[in-house]
Amino acid sequence: VHEFMLGLPGPGLKWRSKKSGVRYGVTVFLLGGYVRIAGMEPGREDELLASALGHLATRGKISAAELAESLGVPAERASALLVTLEDYGAAQPATDTEYSETLVTHADGEDDAALLARVRSRVYRGQPPWKRITILAMGVLVNIVSAILILTVALSIAGVPTPTTDLASVAAASPASLSGVHAGDRVVAFSGRPVTEWAVLRSALATAAPNVPTSIDVVRDGRTISLSITPSTREGGGTYLGVTAGSRDVPMPIGDALRESFKMTGAVVVAIARFFNPATFSDSIKGASSVVGISYIVASAADEGPLTYAYMVALLSLSLGLMNVLPIPPLDGGKIAVELVEWLFRRPIPRAVSIAFSAVGTLLLFSLIFYLMYADVVRYIFRG
C-alpha cells in the first residue's frame, strides 16, 4: 500500500511513515476515503519489465538513460519501467534523483522472470481475479456492514420513537382546545372506549362521526377528567381533534432491529436507483446533499440526540458504500467492472481505453459533486 487517505483523491496533507513507507493524510475532498495499492496501474505489463528488474537488481542502482541503453529502448519507456518497479516495491528513488536503486536481489538460481514473479506476488496485479475483486469490494462491504451494525445497535438499545397517549400539543381553536384538552394531558378513554396506546385512539377516531358530540377522558395532574368534545371534519375526509401525540423511544428486539436495518438499506438502494431513472432524476437531485449539506444535517442530528446522530452516521456510511459500488470509475464499482471484463475476455483492457473510461467517470462524478455543493450553498447559506 502506497497511500491510505481520508477523502477522495486530490491535493491534501500527507505524512509518510518511515517504518512502512505508507503515506497517510487528508485530502481537500473530504468524502469517503481511498487506498492506493501497489500494482493497480491499468493496461498490460511491459514485456521488458523482467529484463529491467534484472538489470536493476544486478547493478544495484541505475538511471533511466542507462536502462534505455541496456535494453535498446527510448528513454521514456525506460523511465516508465522504473516507475512500475517503484510501484511494485522493487525499487525506490536514490538520493540523487536521476537514479533508482533496487530493493530486491536475485535468490540463488533465480532468473529475471522468477524474480519478477516473486515481486509481483506481493502486489495487486499478481493476485488472482477473485482476490482482486474481493480487495476492491472490501471498502463497500465495510460501509454497509458498519451501517447495519450501527442501526441495529441504535434500534435495540436506544429504541425507535413511538407515539404515546401523552399529548405533545393541542392546536389552537381545534375541537380538542375548545373542549378544554391541554398539552401534557394523557388520553385514557374516547367515546367510552379505553385508550391504552395511540393506535387505539386513532382507530376510535376513525369510526367516530364528525360534528357529533362525544366524550374524551384525560389524566391531568393525577386526576381523571371527563370532557365533552365534538370532532370536526378533517380536510380530505375523516374526523379531526387537533392533538399531536407525544413520543418516547422504545427499544426493539434484536431480531426486529436487524430486520429494520435491512429495510432501511433497501430504501437507500431504491433512493440511489432513482438517480438512474429519467422520470425520477430531477426529484432525486433536489433531495440529495453534498458534503456542505451533510455538515448541516449532521449538526442538526447531533443536537437532536445520540439516537438521531447514530441514524445519520449509519445512513451516511450506507449511502457512501452503495454509491461506491456503482460501475463508474474511479469508484470501486467501476474498478470491479473492469476486473470482470478483463476476467471474461482473458486479457487486460488497453491502458488508453481504461484511462479514458476512468476520466469520463471522474468527470461525471465530480460534476455531480460540485452541482450538489452549489445547490447546498444556495439552500443553506444564501437562503438560510
Side-chain angles (χ1 to χ4, degrees), residues 56-382:
L56 175 64
T58 300
R59 296 192 186 190
K61 186 169 68 173
I62 197 170
S63 68
E66 292 172 343
L67 182 61
E69 183 178 354
S70 298
L71 297 176
V73 298
E76 293 79 7
R77 185 175 179 183
S79 179
L81 286 166
L82 290 176
V83 168
T84 299
L85 292 175
E86 289 176 7
D87 180 47
Y88 283 15
Q92 66 180 6
T95 304
D96 45 357
T97 54
E98 294 181 5
Y99 287 83
S100 294
E101 58 185 13
T102 187
L103 295 176
V104 296
T105 57
H106 290 93
D108 292 340
E110 189 176 47
D111 61 14
D112 294 345
L115 176 59
L116 177 60
R118 177 157 58 89
V119 168
R120 193 192 295 115
S121 68
R122 296 181 291 131
V123 302
Y124 178 83
R125 188 188 287 270
Q127 311 310 310
W130 69 265
K131 186 177 287 187
R132 294 201 298 266
I133 292 172
T134 301
I135 291 169
L136 293 173
M138 281 300 101
V140 174
L141 183 63
V142 167
N143 273 119
I144 295 173
V145 170
S146 296
I148 290 174
L149 286 175
I150 292 171
L151 287 170
T152 301
V153 170
L155 290 169
S156 60
I157 295 179
V160 62
T162 303
T164 69
T165 57
D166 295 314
L167 302 180
S169 63
V170 176
S174 65
S177 176
L178 296 175
S179 69
V181 176
H182 297 169
D185 288 349
R186 176 162 53 88
V187 179
V188 293
F190 182 78
S191 295
R193 179 180 175 182
V195 173
T196 56
E197 56 185 33
W198 185 255
V200 174
L201 178 60
R202 293 187 61 178
S203 176
L205 188 61
T207 58
N211 304 313
V212 175
T214 187
S215 64
I216 185 170
D217 295 350
V218 300
V219 174
R220 182 186 304 163
D221 297 328
R223 296 183 302 113
T224 301
I225 304 172
S226 185
L227 302 169
S228 176
I229 189 169
T230 304
S232 61
T233 303
R234 181 185 295 277
E235 184 177 349
T239 50
Y240 171 71
L241 291 184
V243 297
T244 303
S247 177
R248 64 185 178 92
D249 294 333
V250 178
M252 298 179 69
I254 189 73
D256 293 345
L258 186 60
R259 281 191 290 273
E260 187 65 24
S261 299
F262 277 102
K263 285 182 182 179
M264 296 177 78
T265 301
V268 174
V269 171
V270 171
I272 292 174
R274 287 168 60 87
F275 277 99
F276 300 90
N277 183 347
T280 56
F281 176 78
S282 178
D283 289 338
S284 296
I285 283 291
K286 292 177 182 178
S289 288
S290 71
V291 66
V292 175
I294 289 169
S295 65
Y296 280 88
I297 295 169
V298 169
S300 176
D303 289 339
E304 292 182 27
L307 179 61
T308 305
Y309 185 73
Y311 286 153
M312 185 53 58
V313 169
L315 291 176
L316 282 175
S317 179
L318 190 57
S319 298
L320 284 171
L322 292 173
M323 285 292 291
N324 200 21
V325 82
L326 296 176
I328 304 172
L331 302 177
D332 287 337
K335 296 176 183 177
I336 291 173
V338 170
E339 289 289 349
L340 290 172
V341 170
E342 292 182 344
W343 194 1
L344 179 64
F345 290 98
R346 304 293 181 183
R347 59 183 179 182
I349 295 174
R351 179 181 175 84
V353 174
S354 181
I355 291 176
F357 183 43
S358 183
V360 171
T362 301
L363 179 63
L364 290 173
L365 179 65
F366 277 88
S367 296
L368 177 62
I369 289 174
F370 287 122
Y371 174 81
L372 292 177
M373 288 178 68
Y374 165 77
D376 280 342
V377 168
V378 173
R379 182 185 306 147
Y380 290 98
I381 298 176
F382 291 106

